[in-house]
Amino acid sequence: DAKTTQPPSMDCAEGRAANLPCNHSTISGNEYVYWYRQIHSQGPQYIIHGLKNNETNEMASLIITEDRKSSTLILPHATLRDTAVYYCIVRSGPLGTASKLTFGTGTRLQVTL
Amino acid sequence: GAVVSQHPSWVICKSGTSVKIECRSLDFQATTMFWYRQFPKQSLMLMATSNEGSKATYEQGVEKDKFLINHASLTLSTLTVTSAHPEDSSFYICSARGNAGVGKTQYFGPGTRLLVL
């Protein structure tokens, strides 16, 4: 699976958009980009995933560049409860195959008043 | 999204005893389950992958005789830490994935914190 690079930490004011970048310059054609977050002392929570098109759900938006070498997770209106470590993961294979998620160090997002 | 539960949420045991942790997928059939371990201030590390009815595949460096994994049904997997020692104290997290619907994405349980005295 391709390696990802994320900034170790970011701050965001409550109510503002949080834009979390991820670099995956070695991604290959069949690899998906997944985002999870881990709030302190809890299991990771699925946020969103995509292959090449931008995606949006009730939690966030995922913007993938045209060359697919980087992506940005956008939390449109961050709240204090969004404070967590955010993991960008590239996973090979279509959904349902036996590929696995490998976690890097992620970005620690601190949302402040 | 789909729900994955773990039991117990925390456990304290004496050195040398065995501890069993259960992981259940509550609203989907989990054809594949994963067990992770997380030490303080570190990221999650995959320990093993199991498919229902098959033997688990362990990651390099993980002792299969120490961490026994059973995935006997499509909704239940268990991790048994045998002869636990203080260095096994950690946060153990299971994850489940199915083949259809919401279960096609990998979902995580809330974790089990193990403290070995």
Side-chain angles (χ1 to χ4, degrees):
Chain A
D1 293 338
K3 189 175 179 179
T4 62
T5 304
Q6 298 177 255
S9 64
M10 293 182 65
D11 291 333
C12 178
E14 189 176 35
R16 304 295 293 267
N19 297 284
L20 292 92
C22 180
N23 183 288
H24 31 79
S25 57
T26 61
I27 194 170
S28 60
N30 68 341
E31 290 182 317
Y32 287 72
V33 180
Y34 281 77
W35 283 85
Y36 285 78
R37 71 180 182 183
Q38 187 178 25
I39 296 170
H40 184 61
S41 295
Q42 297 181 24
Q45 178 187 23
Y46 166 77
I47 301 174
I48 199 167
H49 74 276
L51 182 62
K52 54 183 178 180
N53 297 322
N54 296 337
E55 302 288 343
T56 296
N57 62 20
E58 64 278 4
M59 289 184 68
S61 294
L62 174 60
I63 309 298
I64 303 174
T65 58
E66 194 168 339
D67 63 8
R68 302 212 318 126
K69 294 186 177 185
S70 65
S71 60
T72 301
L73 179 74
I74 300 173
L75 307 178
H77 305 286
T79 70
L80 296 177
R81 287 178 294 181
D82 293 321
T83 293
V85 178
Y86 287 77
Y87 296 98
C88 168
I89 303 167
V90 170
R91 196 191 87 172
S92 63
L95 295 174
T97 62
S99 58
K100 53 195 178 186
L101 295 175
T102 302
F103 285 77
T105 53
T107 295
R108 183 172 298 277
L109 176 68
Q110 179 68 53
V111 181
T112 57
L113 290 171
Chain B
V3 179
V4 176
S5 70
Q6 275 184 249
H7 178 81
S9 55
W10 59 270
V11 58
I12 301 173
C13 70
K14 293 182 179 179
S15 185
T17 61
S18 294
V19 174
K20 179 184 283 189
I21 303 170
E22 289 188 351
C23 176
R24 294 180 185 272
S25 57
L26 299 186
D27 49 5
F28 68 100
Q29 293 187 324
T31 50
T32 307
M33 284 188 167
F34 307 84
W35 286 94
Y36 291 79
R37 180 169 55 180
Q38 185 176 34
F39 291 107
K41 299 189 186 302
Q42 295 186 23
S43 188
L44 285 79
M45 293 193 62
L46 180 65
M47 298 174 67
T49 302
S50 73
N51 293 297
E52 185 261 339
S54 302
K55 288 185 177 180
T57 301
Y58 291 80
E59 295 297 303
Q60 192 172 9
V62 178
E63 300 175 56
K64 63 179 182 180
D65 294 329
K66 182 170 182 61
F67 299 99
L68 301 179
I69 292 172
N70 184 281
H71 189 173
S73 78
L74 286 173
T75 59
L76 174 64
S77 176
T78 59
L79 168 68
T80 301
V81 183
T82 62
S83 186
H85 291 284
E87 57 266 28
D88 299 322
S89 299
S90 189
F91 190 46
Y92 292 86
I93 307 168
C94 76
S95 180
R97 186 178 71 213
N99 283 334
V102 295
K104 290 174 73 174
T105 297
Q106 191 170 328
Y107 292 94
F108 288 80
T112 297
R113 196 162 297 281
L114 170 64
L115 176 61
V116 184
L117 302 177

